[in-house]
Amino acid sequence: MLAAMNATEPTPPSAPDNTSGDLPSSANTPQPKTPAKQPHNPLHGVTLEAIVVALADYFGWDELGRQIPIRCFQSDPSVGSSLKFLRKTPWAREKVESLYLFMLRDQRRNAQE
């Protein structure tokens, strides 16, 4: 009975054979997907290290520790210790990214004046 059901189902068309050499051999291989571009996302393509360095340059470590009260910004701050903590702590990373976006808006406002 199962063979009878399979016999009535149409078979999918097979892919055309490229034995004539019309197309280059790479046409048959799947191409890797290119990542979607995010033109309106200011965080796209910016590393966490670049964000921390930019914030430390813009605010300084003391002000950064006041803006985001976490120990890696307040007690013996460094880029390395901050990166280690922020990579393991999603809530702190969100605060840092939010402050970075604020910094970018503030820089744009200051540039327009």
Side-chain angles (χ1 to χ4, degrees):
M1 181 159 172
L2 186 58
M5 287 176 32
N6 286 340
T8 60
E9 294 179 15
T11 58
S14 62
D17 190 14
N18 187 23
T19 56
S20 63
D22 302 338
L23 300 172
S25 62
S26 63
N28 292 337
T29 59
Q31 299 298 319
K33 292 183 181 180
T34 56
K37 296 188 182 208
Q38 299 181 16
H40 299 294
N41 183 356
L43 293 175
H44 182 71
V46 181
T47 64
L48 185 58
E49 181 177 8
I51 291 173
V52 171
V53 169
L55 289 173
D57 289 344
Y58 187 75
F59 292 108
W61 288 110
D62 290 336
E63 181 60 26
L64 191 55
R66 279 191 284 281
Q67 293 278 338
I68 304 173
I70 52 179
R71 195 173 303 150
C72 66
F73 290 159
Q74 295 174 334
S75 175
D76 193 25
S78 71
V79 173
S81 67
S82 301
L83 292 175
K84 187 173 182 179
F85 177 75
L86 293 171
R87 286 182 180 134
K88 295 179 182 180
T89 318
W91 63 265
R93 183 177 183 146
E94 288 176 17
K95 288 184 178 218
V96 167
E97 289 173 348
S98 177
L99 185 61
Y100 179 73
L101 293 174
F102 171 80
M103 179 195 77
L104 291 178
R105 284 191 302 269
D106 196 39
Q107 286 176 336
R108 254 185 259 127
R109 270 190 235 117
N110 291 339
Q112 289 176 354
E113 293 176 359

